[in-house]
C-alpha cells in the first residue's frame, strides 16, 4: 500500500539533516581521491549515456541515507502506481500516462473504454502514414506540389518540447541525410512572432500544425487566425494547409477546417507531451517516422531504468534524490542546466517548464501547506556560451547554484577545424571538464578578487553523440527526475493551477472589466 507523506515526516529525511557539511568538494575532488570518486560515482544510462555525480556533495554515508529515503518515500511503488494507470493527478482527477506513448512498463491501462497503449500506438501509425504520404508527394498543395516546410503553432508544452527536440536533431538529420522538411515554430501571441516566422516561409509549400491539447489556448487560437489570414491573403485554402493535434474532446477535434487531425488526451500533461502526437506530428514530418520511432525507443529504454528500485542503478531517481538533498538540506534554490552541445540550445527552456510547472507548488498533493521548500528555479544555456555570460556569478557569487552539465564525445557532423593544436570538439569537451573541477576545487589567491572558493557541486551526463536514441533517453531522464522530485516533495507534479490567475485577469483587461492598479497598468500599456 502506497502512503503519500510529506518529506519532513520521514525518518530517513530527518537522518539526512546531520550530514550537512560532511563533504567538502575542494578536498573530496582533489588528487587521487577525486579520480577515484569519478570512477566510483557513475551510473550507466540507456543509449550509451552515463550519469556522473562525483562532483556532488555526497559520500557513501549520504548515498546510503538517500537510498533509505527512496525506500521510505516509496518512490518505486509510486512510479509503479503511475505507470499502471492510477489517478495520480488528484486535483484534476486524471491518470498520468505519458510513459505509455513509448512503451508498456506495467499492465494494460484501460481508460475511456480503450486500451491506452493501443490508442497512442494507433495515433503514431496514423501520423506515420500521413507523413509518408507527404514525403512521397501523395499529399500535396492545391497545385499538386510537395510541401517542404512544416510550422507548429502552439505554446508551452505544445511548443517547447517539440521545438527543443527538433533543434536537437536538425543537424544530425542533415548529416545523416534524413531531413525531410524544415520545421519552424510560432508560439508567442506577440504579432512579431508570426510575422517573423512567416516572413521566412514559402506559404504555398508549407503545412501548419495547430497544437493545443485543450483547444482553447488564446495565444494559439490567435496565431492560428493570424496564419489563416496570411494564407487567405496569398490566395491559399487554409483547410488544405492546416493540421490539428488536440484531444478528442476539444473544440478543435473533428473540425473540417483541417486537412487531418491527430489526438492525445487529458492523461498527458502539456509539458510531458513531446512523445505524444504533440511532438510526433512535427518530428515525423521533419525527420521521418522512423527517426521519431528511434527517439521513442530511447525514451522507453530510459523509462525502464527509472523503474529500477535501487537508486544507485536508477539515474533518474538518484538525480532527484541528490537535487532534493541540495534543495532541502543544503538550501540551494536554483539549478543551472548547462548542455555542452549547441543542438541542445532550447533544451533548458523546455526543462524549465517541465520542472517549474510540475514542482513549483506550495501545498502538498492533498492541498495542505508544507513546512519545506519545493521546486527548483531552473535556467541554462549551452556551453561554452554560458561561460562568457553568467558563469562569473556561478564561480564567485554569494549563492551556490548546483550545476547539471551534459556533454558528448562526438559532435553531430564530421566537419571541424584544428586551431592551436585542438579541434573545436576537443575544446568544447576540455571546457566542460575544466569547469567541473574549477567549480569543485576552486583556487586560492592572495588577491580576494581572484579567489575561487570552490565546493560548488555539479553532475554531468555524458554520451557518445546526440542521436535520436540518446536524445530520447536524455528527455526521459529529466521527465522521470521531475516526477521523483514531486514524489519526494509530496506535491502533485501534474497540475498547473498557478498559470490560471494571470489568464483570467488578462481576459478582464481585454473585456475592459478592470479597476484600480490593473486598470492603471492596462492604460499605461495602451489598452
Ligand atoms: O498555461 C499553461 C498551459 O496549460 C501548459 O501547461 C500547456 O503546456 C500550455 O498551457 C498549452 O496548453 P494547450 O496545449 O492546451 O494549448
Amino acid at each position: 500500500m502506497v502512503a503519500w507523506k510529506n518529506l519532513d515526516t520521514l525518518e530517513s529525511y530527518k537522518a539526512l539533516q546531520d550530514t550537512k557539511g560532511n563533504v567538502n568538494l575542494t578536498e573530496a575532488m582533489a588528487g587521487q581521491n577525486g579520480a577515484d570518486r569519478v570512477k566510483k560515482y557513475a551510473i550507466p544510462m540507456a543509449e550509451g549515456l552515463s550519469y556522473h555525480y562525483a562532483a556532488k556533495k555526497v559520500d557513501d554515508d549520504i548515498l546510503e541515507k538517500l537510498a533509505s529515503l527512496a525506500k521510505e518515500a516509496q518512490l518505486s511503488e509510486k512510479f509503479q502506481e503511475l505507470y499502471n494507470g492510477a489517478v495520480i493527478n488528484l486535483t484534476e482527477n486524471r491518470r498520468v500516462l505519458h510513459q505509455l506513448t513509448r512503451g508498456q512498463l506495467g499492465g494494460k491501462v484501460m481508460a475511456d473504454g480503450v486500451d491506452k497503449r493501443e490508442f497512442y500506438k494507433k495515433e503514431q501509425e496514423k501520423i506515420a502514414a500521413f507523413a509518408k504520404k507527404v514525403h512521397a508527394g501523395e499529399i500535396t498543395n492545391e497545385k499538386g506540389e510537395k510541401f517542404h516546410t512544416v510550422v507548429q503553432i502552439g505554446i508551452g508544452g505544445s511548443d517547447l518540447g517539440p521545438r527543443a527536440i527538433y533543434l536537437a536533431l536538425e543537424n544530425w538529420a542533415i548529416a545523416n541525410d534524413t531531413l525531410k522538411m524544415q520545421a519552424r515554430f510560432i508560439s508567442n501571441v506577440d504579432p512579431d512572432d508570426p510575422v517573423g516566422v512567416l516572413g521566412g516561409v514559402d506559404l504555398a509549400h508549407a503545412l501548419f500544425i495547430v497544437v493545443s491539447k485543450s483547444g482553447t489556448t488564446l495565444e494559439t487560437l490567435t496565431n492560428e487566425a493570424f496564419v489563416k489570414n496570411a494564407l487567405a491573403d496569398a490566395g491559399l485554402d487554409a483547410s488544405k494547409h492546416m493540421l490539428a493535434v488536440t484531444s478528442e474532446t476539444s473544440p478543435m477535434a473533428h473540425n473540417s477546417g483541417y486537412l487531418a487531425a491527430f489526438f492525445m488526451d487529458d492523461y498527458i500533461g502539456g509539458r510531458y507531451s513531446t512523445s505524444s502526437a504533440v511532438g510526433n506530428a512535427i518530428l515525423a514530418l521533419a525527420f521521418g517516422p522512423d527517426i521519431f520511432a528511434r527517439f521513442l525507443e530511447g525514451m522507453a529504454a530510459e523509462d525502464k531504468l527509472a523503474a529500477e528500485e535501487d537508486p544507485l542503478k536508477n539515474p533518474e531517481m538518484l538525480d532527484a534524490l541528490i537535487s532534493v538533498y541540495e534543495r532541502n538540506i543544503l538550501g540551494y534554490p536554483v539549478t543551472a542546466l548547462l548542455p555542452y552541445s549547441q543542438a541542445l540550445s532550447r533544451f533548458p527552456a523546455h526543462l524549465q517548464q517541465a520542472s517549474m510547472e510540475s514542482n513549483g507548488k506550495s501545498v502538498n498533493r492533498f492541498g495542505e501547506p508544507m513546512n519545506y521548500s519545493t521546486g527548483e528555479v531552473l535556467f541554462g544555456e549551452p556551453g561554452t556560451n554560458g561561460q562568457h555570460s553568467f558563469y562569473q556569478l556561478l564561480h564567485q557569487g554569494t549563492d551556490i547554484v548546483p550545476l547539471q552539465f551534459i556533454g558528448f564525445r562526438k559532435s553531430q557532423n564530421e566537419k571541424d577545424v584544428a586551431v592551436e593544436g585542438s579541434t573545436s570538439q576537443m575544446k568544447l569537451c576540455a571546457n566542460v571538464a575544466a569547469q567541473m573541477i574549477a567549480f569543485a576545487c576552486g583556487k586560492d589567491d592572495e588577491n580576494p578578487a581572484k579567489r575561487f572558493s570552490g565546493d560548488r557541486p555539479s553532475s554531468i551526463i555524458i554520451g557518445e553523440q546526440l542521436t535520436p536514441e540518446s536524445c530520447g533517453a536524455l528527455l526521459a531522464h529529466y521527465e522521470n527526475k521531475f516526477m521523483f522530485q514531486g514524489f519526494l516533495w509530496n506535491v502533485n507534479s501534474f497540475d498547473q493551477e498557478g498559470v490560471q490567475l494571470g489568464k483570467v485577469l488578462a481576459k478582464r483587461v481585454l473585456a475592459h472589466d478592470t479597476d484600480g492598479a490593473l486598470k492603471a497598468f492596462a492604460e499605461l500599456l495602451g489598452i
Side-chain angles (χ1 to χ4, degrees), residues 155-158 211-215 217 220 270-271 353 357 496 499 503:
I155 197 164
S158 295
V211 185
S212 177
K213 178 170 88 168
S214 61
T217 302
T220 299
R271 54 197 176 272
Q353 184 199 10
E357 203 167 76
Q496 56 284 318
V499 302
K503 290 185 193 173

Side-chain angles (χ1 to χ4, degrees), residues 404-419:
Q404 297 237 298
F405 292 105
I406 298 169
F408 297 94
R409 287 182 278 271
K410 265 179 78 181
S411 60
Q412 288 185 315
N413 63 66
E414 302 285 304
K415 284 185 201 144
D416 205 336
V417 62
V419 172

